[in-house]
Amino acid sequence: MPKQMITSQSAPTTGFTDKGTPSPLAQAIRAGNLLFVSGQGPLDPKTREVVSADIGEQTRQTLTNLKNVLAAAGLDFSHVVNMRVVLRNAADFPAFNEAFRDVLEGEKVTRTCIGATPHRKGVNVEIDCVASFD
């Protein structure tokens, strides 16, 4: 099965907006029975602006964006097998974790969380995931 690009209007587009050229990135790509979702951040899908400086609100918006991309492929968090998280500030981990737990509502995933500076000012969390169609 050739890879298939998945897009959602309910999540921010992924791209290099500062270059004015088409992006080489996809919101998600299906390859066989796996869906690889590009890193999502706390951006409003319409304005592409950061929704808040609060890490809890940023985490909720980031996960909502992931959820919307998953839904475009006919999936939800129950299909996610792995998430990778980038936090700007390790001190935000407890508040991030609380929001993460609330949004996932008991779903279990594997997860890696690292501290690093995301690429855009004001973005304090970014999350990508891999989901299975099985």
Side-chain angles (χ1 to χ4, degrees):
M1 166 187 268
K3 69 183 185 179
Q4 174 189 7
M5 192 169 71
I6 305 292
T7 59
S8 170
Q9 298 300 314
S10 298
T13 56
T14 306
F16 304 150
T17 56
D18 62 330
K19 301 289 183 196
T21 59
S23 174
L25 307 176
Q27 286 177 319
I29 291 181
R30 180 178 183 170
N33 70 337
L34 295 177
L35 183 72
F36 299 86
V37 182
S38 285
Q40 293 291 314
L43 305 181
D44 177 279
K46 290 184 176 62
T47 67
R48 292 190 43 83
E49 296 297 321
V50 177
V51 295
S52 170
D54 178 76
I55 191 63
E57 289 179 43
Q58 285 202 13
T59 301
R60 286 177 182 83
Q61 183 64 51
T62 299
L63 290 168
T64 295
N65 292 339
L66 276 175
K67 181 179 176 179
N68 290 337
V69 175
L70 289 165
L75 303 177
D76 58 33
F77 286 133
S78 71
H79 296 92
V80 172
V81 294
N82 182 259
M83 289 186 172
R84 288 179 293 204
V85 178
V86 177
L87 285 180
R88 182 179 298 268
N89 184 348
D92 285 339
F93 187 75
F96 156 78
N97 227 18
E98 182 178 336
F100 185 91
R101 184 181 298 114
D102 289 347
V103 173
L104 261 65
E105 299 178 329
E107 289 297 335
K108 301 290 186 193
V109 299
T110 62
R111 186 183 83 185
T112 300
C113 186
I114 63 167
T117 303
H119 65 284
R120 183 174 174 174
K121 184 178 179 183
V123 171
N124 296 320
V125 62
E126 184 173 343
I127 306 172
D128 71 0
C129 72
V130 177
S132 173
F133 285 89
D134 291 342

